[in-house]
Amino acid sequence: MTAPHPLEPHIFVIFGATGDLTSRKLMPALYHLVEDSSADVYVLGVATSALDDADFRALTREALDDAGLDGTDAWRDDRVHFQTVGRDEGYSALRERIEAIEQAHGLPGNRVFYLALPPPVFPIAITRLGEAGLASSQGWTRLVVEKPFGRDLKSARALNQLAHTHFSEDQIYRIDHYLGKETVQNLLVFRFANPIFEGSWNRDRIERVEITVAESLDIGSRGGYYERSGAVRDMVQSHLTQVFTLVAMESPTSIRADSVRAEKVKVLQSIAPLGVDDVVFGQYTRGTIDGAEIPAYRALEGVDPASTTPTYAAVRLFVNNWRWQGVPFVLRTAKALPRRTTQVVVTFRPPPVCLFHGVGDDCFDQSDVLTLTMQPDEGFSLQIEVKEPGESGGIRRVPLHFEYGDEFGEIAEAYETLLRDVAEGDQTHFVRSDWVEESWRVYAPILDGDLPVYPYPAGTWGPDEATNLLGHPAKNWGTK
Ligand code: NDP
Ligand code: BG6
């Protein structure tokens, strides 16, 4: 692997510094960035809690210990500072603190503001940053906004407008951590560096595409958040739709951010309006996963005992363009399933003439199947038919298989890759304002409608009703 090049020195200001995302993802990612490059990055944690630098350094140390990272030469405690703000005030003092840190360490005024905040706080933080004159500096200034970006088309539009009042689009990095996963980034390489696949990537050759993010995790202590969100807002509108647009988009004119992002938006604009028959929702009831008892979603703290929030969503999309007309794309995600797996499964059309019918499987079963596994066991596998040796005349399905781990060893965490991109000013793997609005528009008909929500026991593959979306049993979806 090539050594990463040095990053420009900057201050990384985290709003929401005492939160879960900061300790589990951002701090370990920043640690790796500092360790892997020789750049000076200083961290300023911000929250409403009354902590001082020493308190926050101790929190950070705990987070790094939990991630199995012990200090080496590059990472020093004095890189880390803390500033308390009020819910709606304290931004002038914040500005003075940033300038003082920059002066003390000789930084050139490059700034990242990362909003790892509860989403209702995004607007006020963006407004106060702008009003305090923190939207520009002597160096570059970049604003990173966590997901979810809005909770429907109207709120996403309003948030875009507000952000654009203070920051220009090329300063705004809307994050979707799936775009930082190597295997998701590889989709473009897989498609556009290998003509053998791209030549078949269309309605003539492909029968259907299934995109699955199956999680064995249940909702646990996140009931309060999830009850207002549900599977479509939490996963489908963002992560699954990002993967979908990378699978379905046309070739960009270059791999520059705006070319790639323009093609992704066009796919969303071509999606046929969703109907009620295109959606199956489910909610998990009590069950077991790996021998552990899982309480029903409705029994969790923060959840209405009569809740109809879906923890399972399967959505069928059709893309009305020349390449994809008539090909179903089924996006499925759920909590509390038997196993964790993120996969894109592409089923090719069977041979037009069934030469081997009667001696092997029937012709339908002779479809080649390409499985791109995003996580875990990152890699891909192409199932093809081969003749069984001998006189039997039988044919058998065998996999051509590749795993990242065998070829490249360990791969970087998504947040580390994305924070490097922010520092380098590369927006390719971030969400553009029009993408986020188009995506909410696609799902508008199913966000708050009165659709049935079928129960499924935790530890099973979800409601049987989902079978109708593809015409084969739901339990076979996206699994090896
Ligand atoms: P937490 O609830 O754990 O943390 C929220 C943080 O925001 C705390 O540090 C809190 O500290 C701070 N905060 C709250 N109000 C304010 C305010 N007015 N001004 C400044 N700071 C404030 O949330 P998470 O860390 O889980 O999530 C943060 C964001 O990241 C959310 O948008 C979430 O959707 C997103 N996200 C999280 C993921 C995760 O794995 N946790 C995964 C993907 C996205 P204090 O109370 O001291 O102010
Ligand atoms: C988050 C969702 O954005 O992504 C969680 O809020 C989900 O509900 C998580 O569990 C999944 O991410 P990953 O990287 O573990 O697949």
Side-chain angles (χ1 to χ4, degrees):
M1 244 187 278
T2 48
H5 48 272
L7 301 177
E8 290 183 74
H10 61 276
I11 185 163
F12 193 98
V13 184
I14 308 177
F15 284 79
T18 54
D20 174 71
L21 185 74
T22 301
S23 54
R24 276 194 317 108
K25 299 289 183 185
L26 300 184
M27 280 306 182
L30 284 165
Y31 173 94
H32 281 298
L33 275 192
V34 169
E35 287 289 306
D36 298 347
S37 68
S38 46
D40 264 357
V41 182
Y42 289 84
V43 179
L44 177 60
V46 178
T48 61
S49 299
L51 304 185
D52 61 17
D53 286 356
D55 297 329
F56 188 52
R57 284 172 187 167
L59 271 185
T60 302
R61 172 59 36 221
E62 218 174 283
L64 296 180
D65 283 348
D66 287 349
L69 302 169
D70 45 8
T72 60
D73 290 348
W75 181 270
R76 303 181 316 264
D77 272 0
D78 72 354
R79 290 191 178 281
V80 178
H81 303 79
F82 189 83
Q83 176 76 18
T84 301
V85 293
R87 302 226 164 265
D88 195 12
E89 64 197 3
Y91 285 67
S92 299
L94 175 65
R95 181 183 173 150
E96 284 164 22
R97 187 74 200 280
I98 290 170
E99 287 167 354
I101 293 169
E102 286 174 341
Q103 211 170 16
H105 298 288
L107 297 175
N110 297 329
R111 299 167 182 172
V112 176
F113 294 104
Y114 195 115
L115 306 190
L117 290 166
V121 185
F122 292 160
I124 195 75
I126 293 171
T127 307
R128 296 293 170 257
L129 280 171
E131 288 171 355
L134 283 165
S136 60
S137 64
Q138 285 180 335
W140 45 254
T141 298
R142 295 173 187 148
L143 175 74
V144 186
V145 187
E146 258 299 339
K147 71 161 267 272
F149 196 92
R151 51 178 283 110
D152 52 21
L153 176 57
K154 191 171 163 219
S155 54
R157 251 186 209 150
L159 191 54
N160 271 332
Q161 271 168 12
L162 175 74
H164 290 150
T165 309
H166 301 284
F167 295 85
S168 60
E169 181 63 19
D170 63 8
Q171 291 181 287
I172 303 172
Y173 292 68
R174 295 172 196 79
I175 211 157
D176 180 317
H177 76 278
Y178 267 55
L179 292 178
K181 293 181 192 277
E182 288 288 349
T183 45
V184 173
Q185 295 189 359
N186 184 50
L187 285 169
L188 287 190
V189 178
F190 186 87
R191 289 190 54 199
F192 299 121
N194 297 295
I196 190 172
F197 294 112
E198 190 51 21
S200 308
W201 214 252
N202 56 55
R203 65 193 298 271
D204 295 333
R205 292 281 171 259
I206 290 179
E207 190 170 81
R208 62 177 184 271
V209 180
E210 292 147 67
I211 299 174
T212 296
V213 181
E215 294 189 272
S216 51
L217 265 183
D218 60 317
I219 303 295
S221 58
R222 295 176 76 207
Y225 154 77
Y226 200 86
E227 182 64 353
R228 275 181 41 76
S229 174
V232 177
R233 286 192 168 90
D234 186 48
M235 296 291 289
V236 178
Q237 178 273 335
S238 49
H239 306 324
L240 279 96
T241 304
Q242 284 292 350
V243 174
F244 158 75
T245 48
L246 289 167
V247 171
M249 67 186 260
E250 296 298 318
S251 166
T253 49
S254 75
I255 54 157
R256 292 169 65 87
D258 266 339
S259 292
V260 173
R261 300 197 301 173
E263 292 304 332
K264 287 169 66 180
V265 170
K266 284 187 209 161
V267 181
L268 295 178
Q269 288 167 339
S270 306
I271 293 177
L274 278 175
V276 288
D277 292 347
D278 295 315
V279 184
V280 175
F281 284 152
Q283 187 191 76
Y284 69 84
T285 55
R286 198 153 60 93
T288 52
I289 300 177
D290 285 337
E293 289 280 330
I294 306 295
Y297 173 71
R298 287 183 179 182
L300 298 180
E301 198 183 325
V303 173
D304 180 345
S307 169
T308 54
T309 299
T311 60
Y312 177 109
V315 181
R316 181 174 52 196
L317 303 176
F318 286 97
V319 184
N320 275 338
N321 66 14
W322 280 57
R323 186 192 283 265
W324 293 120
Q325 181 64 39
V327 178
F329 285 80
V330 179
L331 279 52
R332 178 185 75 156
T333 186
K335 304 284 186 199
L337 295 185
R339 197 153 50 82
R340 173 179 184 245
T341 184
T342 298
Q343 291 186 327
V344 175
V345 179
V346 179
T347 304
F348 291 90
R349 293 196 186 281
V353 175
C354 206
L355 274 187
F356 301 101
H357 191 65
V359 290
D361 297 324
D362 68 21
C363 232
F364 175 78
D365 287 338
Q366 287 168 29
S367 302
D368 298 331
V369 177
L370 171 68
T371 302
L372 297 152
T373 303
M374 313 283 125
Q375 61 186 21
D377 308 325
E378 293 83 356
F380 70 82
S381 153
L382 179 63
Q383 300 276 350
I384 58 166
E385 305 296 323
V386 298
K387 177 183 176 298
E388 280 179 357
E391 296 305 311
S392 76
I395 58 175
R396 193 191 298 174
R397 173 159 298 200
V398 295
L400 298 177
H401 194 67
F402 158 81
E403 275 198 26
Y404 265 81
D406 297 340
E407 190 69 25
F408 301 111
E410 217 174 301
I411 50 182
E413 251 276 319
Y415 275 95
E416 186 185 338
T417 308
L418 292 173
L419 295 193
R420 174 172 287 280
D421 285 350
V422 172
E424 290 179 341
D426 182 351
Q427 292 187 300
T428 311
H429 303 298
F430 293 84
V431 186
R432 206 167 68 177
S433 58
D434 49 354
W435 190 101
V436 84
E437 291 183 17
E438 285 297 334
S439 180
W440 283 120
R441 186 192 57 76
V442 167
Y443 298 109
I446 61 166
L447 278 180
D448 299 307
D450 200 11
L451 292 163
V453 179
Y454 301 104
Y456 63 98
T460 66
W461 282 103
D464 288 341
E465 283 75 4
T467 300
N468 296 337
L469 282 192
L470 274 185
H472 65 78
K475 69 181 167 52
N476 291 341
W477 290 16
T479 59
K480 282 200 279 195

